[in-house]
Amino acid sequence: IVADPPWPMKRNSGTLYPGATDTPPMKARPLDYPVMSVSDIAALPVRSVAADGCHLYLWTTQAFLRDAYAVLDAWGFKQGALLVWSKPPKGVVGTWVCSAEFCIFARRGTLKHLRRHIGTVFQWKRGRHSAKPEAFQDMVETVSPGPRLELFARRARPGWVTLGNEADGLDMKYSLVLLAQGKHPCYS
């Protein structure tokens, strides 16, 4: 399972970090998607669709890293490795310019990996706001056996069940309930 929840972040106006010349300041504007509270994310019925032996890749940002571990617990997973996407800096407010996103690799039960991956820091280019690199999904396919499920997906991906208002047009909780009952449109 790959999950990239819409954490309750706000896009703030920002300034360039000292010495930056390649990135314009961020403009204050709403996010391009609806967000969820941490309690609503934690309450999603992910346990009902996760196999007894399952890998989970849970994306989060610096601001929600602690909350992400609480979500893992609520979903019934145990922490594994912390993966880091090191991306080119972008102008933001604060003492430190955050140029990383985090993905917690977690396990439920026992599921043997397909291959061992060396390293936990990855350098991939940025895409549109919140979009994750396709290279990440490619890597998941080489490490974790199927079946494969992406929560909060933005597009379909061959060989994956993709749930998300941009992928299947349905509310996430409703999609998970339908999937657990074998009634989701992906079964058509």
Side-chain angles (χ1 to χ4, degrees), residues 19-172:
T21 58
D22 60 344
T23 310
M26 291 175 60
K27 305 282 189 237
R29 63 183 193 271
L31 294 172
D32 301 331
Y33 51 84
V35 297
M36 295 174 70
S37 70
V38 173
S39 60
D40 285 346
I41 293 167
L44 288 170
V46 174
R47 286 178 186 253
S48 67
V49 298
D52 290 336
C54 185
H55 293 170
L56 171 68
Y57 297 83
L58 178 63
W59 282 99
T60 189
T61 62
Q62 178 84 21
F64 295 99
L65 191 54
R66 188 179 304 254
D67 296 311
Y69 287 103
V71 169
L72 287 181
D73 293 341
W75 289 358
F77 285 82
K78 300 292 181 203
Q79 168 190 342
L82 180 63
L83 310 179
V84 179
W85 172 21
S86 174
K87 46 190 182 175
K90 191 172 182 179
V92 293
V93 174
T95 304
W96 295 95
V97 175
C98 189
S99 60
E101 281 192 52
F102 306 95
C103 185
I104 304 168
F105 171 74
R107 296 175 188 267
R108 178 177 172 178
T110 304
L111 179 64
K112 186 166 174 55
H113 55 267
L114 297 173
R115 76 176 186 98
R116 188 173 304 275
H117 199 284
I118 306 299
T120 57
V121 178
F122 306 92
Q123 294 186 335
W124 295 309
K125 292 181 181 178
R126 290 178 183 265
R128 69 181 179 143
H129 174 76
S130 188
K132 303 305 179 273
E134 288 297 317
F136 169 76
Q137 302 287 90
D138 296 341
M139 181 185 68
V140 168
E141 290 175 357
T142 69
V143 174
S144 298
R148 296 185 176 90
L149 170 64
E150 184 178 5
L151 307 179
F152 305 102
R154 292 180 161 213
R155 54 33 188 155
R157 182 170 171 101
W160 291 68
V161 171
T162 51
L163 308 182
N165 61 0
E166 292 183 45
D168 65 9
L170 301 174
D171 170 77
M172 183 55 61

